[in-house]
Amino acid sequence: MGHVDHGKTTLLDSIRKSEIVKQEHGGITQHIGAFVVTLNEKNSKPSKVEDLVVFLDTPGHKAFSSMRERGALVTDIVVLVVAADDGVMEQTIESISFARKANVPIIVAINKIDKIQNDPERIANLKAGLVSQGIKLEEDGGDIQSIRISALKSEGIHELKEAILALSETLELKAYIDGSVEGSIIESSIHPHRGRLATLLIQKGTLKRGDILVTSNSSHGRVSWAKVRSMFNEYGQVVNEVKPGFPVQVIGWRDDTLPEAGDEVWELTSEKQVKEVLNVAKTYEKQVKDSVDSEVIKRKVEAHDKVYKEELKKLRDAGIRYKRKRSKVPREKLILDDGDEFKTSVVLKADVNGSLEVLLDIFDSFPNEHCPAKLNLLHYGLGNVTESDIELASCFPNGIIYTFNTGIFTPSLIKMSKELNVPIKRFNVIYHLVDSLKEIIEEKMPFVEKEESVGEAVILQEFIINEKRKKVPVAGSRCVKGVLKKNGVRYKLIRGGQMIADNLTVSSMRHHKDEVDIIKKEFECGLLFTGNFINNNSENTIRFCPQDILNCYEIVKVKQKLKWTPKGF
């Protein structure tokens, strides 16, 4: 675990002698991965289980906080990777917090040590940052092992392996091979060929083909179950049994259900037990739904009663004692079409449940209550885009489909999306998806009127002229900035830093005796404003004084800026 770009996946590659980093889109880990690794350097295909360790590689990006927390909950040891040139960062602190919360021991791997070999001050700063988070290393009198490594150059890897083995022997980590299977769901997805597939980490018992599994999560109460049809290791190879401490991909999930990342897994002995569990879960889910619905109804009734009592009080105060007559005016539509041009309707598809969870958190953070442009999430799910997804998006204003790491689209789907005018946007990097979404929503933001300064003039002297038997004040001015225009603009009169008048329009603009439409910088002119003449009511007349400022501006329409930045972006 650790901060983004501190070298976690590179370290795993160095231990496994693999190239996972090259497979990562955007150079960052965006999924939680489970890998079986041998720590026996002499034997690449060890015969002893003691030589094997399962590594969970967690994302370091801020948005994937929930994945890191789940990773800490199912591990025995946390290897905290800290880059020597960066030191303790935000997700480093968060990882320490998750490890403590899960009561899991930590080994600190100080990575990229080759970059600062001649800079002991940086190491001192890194240690100080760790101490501030309660992490005191053995070399400084603490009880936490630290290994200096360079994942890129494979330096210090042997020492890190020894540290992991030593700590595991000290902890005497053991699990029961016999008995009912227990475990945790690491990730779930819909495979284009294998169907509903879940990766689970076995923590107790031995999983075999034909076993019956049930999963649940206390946060949502939903239950999924499977009769294990087949199992695969991390390389996609079929395996017949899986012992504690190992990850495995399982297919055979029933009733169109799929567990979610973080769900707990138990083994049941018969399908009859499954039905009993499902009935209990459905009853519990109904009770939760009824409780939520009851609260919503209660709030709506309270709001209605408040409005009704206020209206009734107004009627009584007005002396009306009779019941109001039923209005003959047609009732207002409950669903209004107004503002459809400001809406963005999205169908969201992702490859795995963990990524979908992160994306849904991002969508939930959008401020629909305050933002004039609205984000409408129509549907979300796992797997490839289907015809029904395109049809659904086409039924709503500005329908669009966003996909994250999903598979290939058929020519018929692409043709259908063009015919129904539903764009399909594909992304492999999460922050590119967020940037695109922000762009799309910003395009839907309404225009607002904005004042744009055209020019500025200083009043030199006021002249009074007679026009149609009326005395009219004229502002003798000099343009000192930009230009002054006669048409399509408005003027402000500013005196001593305070605005005296606004929204003034020019009826006459003269340079010497010539009527003109524009005055350039450093030229003088006389300005006569519409409706401004001297009468008995002097309050309505605008008079000019030397050194007054006339600001010439025009009203332009500009797009509002979207003020939304999801957490981690």
Side-chain angles (χ1 to χ4, degrees):
M1 298 176 71
H3 195 73
V4 65
D5 200 30
H6 274 203
K8 298 179 294 299
T9 306
T10 307
L11 170 59
L12 184 59
D13 276 342
S14 185
I15 295 173
R16 294 179 77 229
K17 296 179 173 59
S18 59
E19 294 183 339
I20 302 172
V21 168
K22 292 183 180 179
Q23 301 167 25
E24 295 289 357
H25 298 289
I28 62 168
T29 301
Q30 300 177 109
H31 302 89
I32 187 168
F35 307 94
V36 180
V37 175
T38 176
L39 296 188
N40 187 334
E41 296 178 359
K42 297 179 181 178
N43 189 3
S44 59
K45 294 182 179 178
S47 57
K48 296 192 300 179
V49 174
E50 290 84 351
D51 291 331
L52 300 178
V53 170
V54 174
F55 278 88
L56 296 182
D57 185 22
T58 60
H61 191 277
K62 189 173 182 177
F64 297 95
S65 175
S66 55
M67 287 192 192
R68 286 190 293 277
E69 185 170 17
R70 283 197 299 271
L73 288 171
V74 297
T75 54
D76 298 308
I77 298 170
V78 166
V79 177
L80 182 69
V81 181
V82 188
D85 56 342
D86 264 358
V88 175
M89 304 290 282
E90 186 177 354
Q91 271 61 65
T92 313
I93 296 169
E94 185 190 64
S95 298
I96 294 169
S97 172
F98 288 152
R100 281 205 179 119
K101 188 177 177 182
N103 198 26
V104 180
I106 295 173
I107 295 175
V108 177
I110 303 174
N111 193 21
K112 304 184 183 182
I113 199 69
D114 52 304
K115 288 189 175 182
I116 59 159
Q117 284 181 343
N118 300 318
D119 194 352
E121 187 178 341
R122 284 198 178 184
I123 291 290
N125 291 337
L126 186 150
K127 287 182 179 181
L130 290 171
V131 169
S132 69
Q133 300 303 317
I135 303 292
K136 194 171 183 181
L137 307 181
E138 282 184 347
E139 57 196 78
D140 297 320
D143 56 356
I144 294 176
Q145 296 182 83
S146 70
I147 312 296
R148 301 187 184 189
I149 65 170
S150 170
L152 199 61
K153 295 185 177 182
S154 297
E155 295 174 4
I157 305 302
H158 174 72
E159 290 77 7
L160 180 60
K161 289 179 179 180
E162 287 187 337
I164 294 170
L165 288 172
L167 183 55
S168 61
E169 287 175 8
T170 304
L171 296 172
E172 296 183 351
L173 301 172
K174 294 178 181 179
Y176 292 101
I177 295 178
D178 302 321
S180 298
V181 171
E182 293 181 14
S184 296
I185 299 293
I186 300 299
E187 197 56 274
S188 59
S189 61
I190 297 179
H191 195 277
H193 305 298
R194 293 171 178 168
R196 292 185 295 277
L197 183 147
T199 301
L200 58 103
L201 184 66
I202 308 299
Q203 294 166 317
K204 180 181 176 184
T206 301
L207 183 65
K208 299 173 184 174
R209 271 185 71 183
D211 285 350
I212 296 171
L213 301 177
V214 65
T215 73
S216 74
N217 191 309
S218 57
S219 63
H220 54 63
R222 288 190 298 275
V223 172
S224 302
W225 76 282
K227 188 169 184 179
V228 180
R229 191 165 78 242
S230 191
M231 298 183 293
F232 310 92
N233 63 17
E234 63 188 276
Y235 301 105
Q237 300 165 337
V238 177
V239 292
N240 295 318
E241 67 173 33
V242 184
K243 292 182 178 178
F246 289 91
V248 66
Q249 296 177 335
V250 171
I251 60 174
W253 300 95
R254 304 292 184 86
D255 298 338
D256 292 329
T257 60
L258 186 65
E260 296 183 4
D263 285 5
E264 296 176 349
V265 182
W266 295 276
E267 181 187 357
L268 299 181
T269 56
S270 67
E271 292 190 27
K272 183 181 176 182
Q273 279 188 326
V274 172
K275 289 178 182 177
E276 291 173 359
V277 171
L278 290 175
N279 288 334
V280 171
K282 285 177 182 176
T283 303
Y284 174 72
E285 197 173 344
K286 186 177 182 302
Q287 288 174 349
V288 171
K289 185 178 182 300
D290 290 346
S291 175
V292 172
D293 290 347
S294 175
E295 283 296 318
V296 172
I297 291 168
K298 184 180 175 183
R299 286 197 296 270
K300 286 186 176 180
V301 169
E302 287 174 354
H304 173 270
D305 287 349
K306 183 180 178 182
V307 173
Y308 172 75
K309 287 175 181 177
E310 287 175 356
E311 289 182 354
L312 189 63
K313 186 176 183 301
K314 289 177 183 177
L315 291 172
R316 294 290 183 264
D317 292 343
I320 301 172
R321 298 286 172 182
Y322 300 101
K323 190 176 180 180
R324 292 178 297 175
K325 292 181 180 180
R326 186 181 295 275
S327 173
K328 293 180 181 179
V329 179
R331 288 188 66 185
E332 222 177 288
K333 285 169 67 178
L334 293 176
I335 300 175
L336 301 176
D337 298 330
D338 296 343
D340 279 355
E341 68 272 20
F342 304 133
K343 293 177 184 175
T344 302
S345 303
V346 177
V347 172
L348 178 64
K349 301 300 287 283
D351 56 342
V352 297
N353 180 262
S355 298
L356 183 62
E357 179 187 27
V358 172
L359 290 168
L360 290 177
D361 286 343
I362 290 169
F363 275 68
D364 287 344
S365 71
F366 187 80
N368 268 323
E369 302 82 8
H370 312 294
C371 185
K374 306 299 179 185
L375 176 60
N376 184 18
L377 182 59
L378 303 175
H379 169 69
Y380 59 87
L382 300 178
N384 295 337
V385 175
T386 63
E387 289 184 1
S388 60
D389 293 329
I390 298 173
E391 288 174 355
L392 176 63
S394 69
C395 295
F396 289 83
N398 304 313
I400 188 169
I401 297 175
Y402 272 93
T403 71
F404 185 70
N405 276 325
T406 57
I408 302 167
F409 302 114
T410 62
S412 60
L413 278 176
I414 296 171
K415 182 182 176 184
M416 184 180 179
S417 71
K418 288 180 179 177
E419 287 174 351
L420 295 179
N421 195 27
V422 176
I424 300 176
K425 294 192 172 287
R426 302 172 63 183
F427 293 94
N428 295 321
V429 181
I430 193 166
Y431 46 79
H432 291 169
L433 187 150
V434 172
D435 288 343
S436 170
L437 183 62
K438 289 170 72 175
E439 264 180 47
I440 293 288
I441 297 173
E442 197 158 56
E443 285 175 8
K444 304 292 185 296
M445 292 286 280
F447 285 94
V448 290
E449 290 187 344
K450 180 185 176 183
E451 293 180 5
E452 194 171 273
S453 181
V454 176
E456 195 174 281
V458 174
I459 295 178
L460 304 176
Q461 188 177 349
E462 180 188 70
F463 300 96
I464 304 297
I465 64 171
N466 293 317
E467 187 177 276
K468 296 180 181 178
R469 298 182 180 178
K470 291 180 182 177
K471 291 184 177 182
V472 180
V474 174
S477 313
R478 177 188 288 119
C479 181
V480 293
K481 187 187 294 183
V483 295
L484 305 181
K485 293 182 179 179
K486 178 181 177 182
N487 301 313
V489 294
R490 301 174 188 180
Y491 284 80
K492 290 180 185 178
L493 177 64
I494 299 168
R495 182 176 299 153
Q498 292 186 342
M499 188 171 66
I500 305 299
D502 190 8
N503 216 24
L504 304 175
T505 57
V506 173
S507 59
S508 177
M509 176 184 283
R510 294 197 175 195
H511 178 61
H512 299 303
K513 294 183 179 181
D514 299 325
E515 187 72 24
V516 294
D517 292 326
I518 190 168
I519 294 292
K520 295 181 180 180
K521 186 178 177 181
E522 301 302 334
F523 282 80
E524 295 181 359
C525 64
L527 299 174
L528 189 150
F529 293 96
T530 306
N532 187 40
F533 55 89
I534 298 172
N535 56 15
N536 293 330
N537 187 3
S538 59
E539 291 181 3
N540 295 330
T541 304
I542 300 168
R543 303 301 298 271
F544 306 104
C545 299
Q547 300 307 311
D548 284 357
I549 302 294
L550 280 170
N551 183 256
C552 174
Y553 66 94
E554 57 186 357
I555 303 295
V556 294
K557 288 189 174 181
V558 294
K559 281 273 189 184
Q560 289 190 51
K561 291 290 183 183
L562 178 64
K563 297 177 181 177
W564 174 53
T565 304
K567 181 184 176 183
F569 297 87

